[in-house]
């Protein structure tokens, strides 16, 4: 593309305006980025301008809005919808889901001059209708070869949640309503809330034969390997994954699995209406079927949730 300064009587047709052109009352008549057409020329000549700054596109160049549309289409994947909004294109969530961003690929994409893509954070929960990403071509036009090479597929994804039926054991039911509300917000029905027994045999008897796939336990001492809940789980053949995550509040969350069910142990500080480690772990369990040890360790980045 080539920048030109045009004066009256010089060729204007097909070129892009680099600035707004205003009328006698300072009103905008032609906006920057507008490609001048034959029908525009009489009105343009009647306006009070001395010099126009224009872009002349060369073969393969793509104007801003069309390039933005193509970029958004490349970024858009299942669960997302792209639509124009001014000079940018917005990708919105078609359903409640977990946002997955390939941060390294996004950085490479944004390293291409003229391309600007901004997104929600990786592993953030998005509500239906929420903006997940915005794609924009910052100059008035871009070389088609650069746009094609930039790609975009797979950088932004939205994973749907697969709700699980849950059962809750707790010794202090003051936070039961808040915990149930959090589960309901992800579509998870709570089949039962019951008192957590105080001896291993009773805990095992209470848990054996459960058909639910999400088991939540509050009231265990996560720092005591011989706490009755851990003794019961060992006797049942449950597999402990991790005790403690680098998140506050909720540092002493623990995770285990048993016969296809996920077991989440919740400390008292991980309950209540405030955002806790549970809000970081639950979406991963529901959208990805589990959360690995490396991902748990990665929760430390942004793991201060209390704002203190």
């Amino acid at each position: 593309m080539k920048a030109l300064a045009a004066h009256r009587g010089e060729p204007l047709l097909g070129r892009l305006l680099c600035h707004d052109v205003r009328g006698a009352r300072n009103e905008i008549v032609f906006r920057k980025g507008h490609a001048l057409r034959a029908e525009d020329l009489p009105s343009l000549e009647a306006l009070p301008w001395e010099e126009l700054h224009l872009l002349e596109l060369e073969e393969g160049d793509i104007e801003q809005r069309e390039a933005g549309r193509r970029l958004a289409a490349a970024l858009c994947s299942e669960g997302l919808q792209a639509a124009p909004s001014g000079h940018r294109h917005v990708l919105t969530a078609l359903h409640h889901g977990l946002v997955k961003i390939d941060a390294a690929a996004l950085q490479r994409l944004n390293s291409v001059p003229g391309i600007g893509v901004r997104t929600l954070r990786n592993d953030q929960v998005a509500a239906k209708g929420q903006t997940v990403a915005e794609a924009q071509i910052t100059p008035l036009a871009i070389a088609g070869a650069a746009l094609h090479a930039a790609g975009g597929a797979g950088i932004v994804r939205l994973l749907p949640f697969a709700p699980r039926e849950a059962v809750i054991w707790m010794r202090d039911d003051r936070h039961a309503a808040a915990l149930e509300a959090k589960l309901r917000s992800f579509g998870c029905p709570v089949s039962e809330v019951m008192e957590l027994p105080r001896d291993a045999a009773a805990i095992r008897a209470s848990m054996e034969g459960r058909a639910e796939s999400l088991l939540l336990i509050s009231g265990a001492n996560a720092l005591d390997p011989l706490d009755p809940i851990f003794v019961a789980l060992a006797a049942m053949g449950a597999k402990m994954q991790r005790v403690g995550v680098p998140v506050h509040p909720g540092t002493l969350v623990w995770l285990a699995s048993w016969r296809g069910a996920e077991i989440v142990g919740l400390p008292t500080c991980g309950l209540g209406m405030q955002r806790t480690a549970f809000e970081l772990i639950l979406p991963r369990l529901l959208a990805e079927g589990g959360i690995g040890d490396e991902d748990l360790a990665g929760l430390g980045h942004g793991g201060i949730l209390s704002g203190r």
Side-chain angles (χ1 to χ4, degrees), residues 1 3 13 20 28 31 41 46 64 66 78 112 128 138 141 155 163 166 169 208 211 217 229 247 253-254 262 302:
M1 65 199 75
L13 190 62
D20 296 335
I28 297 175
R31 293 191 177 276
L41 299 186
Q64 185 184 54
E66 173 59 18
E78 188 175 356
V112 177
K128 181 179 179 180
T138 51
I155 293 178
W169 287 268
E208 286 280 10
I217 299 170
I229 184 62
V247 178
V253 161
W254 54 268
E262 298 290 342

Side-chain angles (χ1 to χ4, degrees), residues 7-298:
H7 299 87
R8 292 185 183 276
E10 295 181 352
L12 304 174
L13 190 62
R15 293 169 175 175
L16 303 184
L17 286 167
C18 295
H19 54 84
D20 296 335
V21 182
R22 297 177 179 270
R25 295 185 297 276
N26 203 37
E27 77 280 13
I28 297 175
V29 180
F30 294 100
R31 293 191 177 276
K32 60 187 174 185
H34 179 70
L36 293 171
R37 304 162 298 181
E39 58 266 33
D40 298 327
L41 299 186
S43 299
L44 184 63
E45 289 292 347
L47 296 175
W49 56 270
E50 298 293 332
E51 180 179 90
L52 296 178
H53 294 174
L54 307 169
L55 276 185
E56 184 176 70
L57 301 190
E58 298 171 326
E59 185 177 357
D61 291 340
I62 307 170
E63 62 88 17
Q64 185 184 54
R65 283 191 174 85
E66 173 59 18
R69 185 194 66 78
R70 296 186 192 184
L71 176 60
L75 289 166
C76 202
S77 60
E78 188 175 356
L80 298 171
Q81 177 176 278
S85 179
H87 290 288
R88 68 190 192 281
H89 283 71
V90 177
L91 275 65
T92 56
L94 293 175
H95 55 73
H96 195 204
L98 184 69
V99 176
K100 302 299 291 187
I101 305 296
D102 185 335
L106 177 63
Q107 182 165 336
R108 289 194 296 271
L109 179 64
N110 281 326
S111 297
V112 177
I115 288 180
V117 176
R118 45 199 175 269
T119 72
L120 297 182
R121 282 197 168 275
N122 184 47
D123 291 326
Q124 185 171 337
V125 173
K128 181 179 179 180
Q130 184 175 356
T131 296
V132 174
E134 295 180 350
Q136 185 171 353
I137 302 301
T138 51
L140 294 176
I142 191 171
L147 183 64
H148 177 75
I155 293 178
V156 183
R157 295 180 296 139
L158 183 69
L159 304 184
F161 295 121
R164 299 189 183 196
E165 188 175 7
V167 62
I168 302 170
W169 287 268
M170 57 195 334
R171 293 206 176 111
D172 182 349
D173 63 2
R174 288 178 300 173
H175 299 297
L179 184 54
E180 288 188 73
K182 290 180 180 183
L183 290 164
R184 283 196 303 271
S185 71
F186 287 95
C188 295
V190 177
S191 59
E192 195 171 359
V193 179
M194 64 184 73
E195 176 79 13
L196 177 65
R198 294 188 178 275
D199 67 89
I203 291 172
R204 181 176 180 179
S206 179
M207 296 184 72
E208 286 280 10
R210 303 303 309 195
E212 296 85 357
S213 59
L214 183 59
L215 312 180
L216 305 178
I217 299 170
S218 175
N221 180 359
L223 300 179
D224 181 1
L226 298 179
D227 186 277
I229 184 62
F230 297 134
V231 174
L233 291 177
M236 293 162 55
K239 180 182 178 182
M240 291 298 300
Q241 180 179 355
R242 177 165 174 150
V243 176
V245 294
V247 178
H248 177 81
T251 301
L252 290 180
V253 161
W254 54 268
L255 298 170
S257 58
W258 174 65
R259 294 181 183 175
E262 298 290 342
I263 305 173
V264 183
L266 298 171
T268 302
C269 67
L271 297 172
M273 289 302 296
Q274 78 273 24
R275 189 164 179 252
T276 73
F278 184 56
E279 275 75 28
L280 303 184
I281 293 171
L282 180 62
R284 305 288 292 273
L285 297 180
L286 300 180
E288 299 181 287
I291 180 168
D293 292 340
E294 287 190 8
D295 292 324
L296 288 170

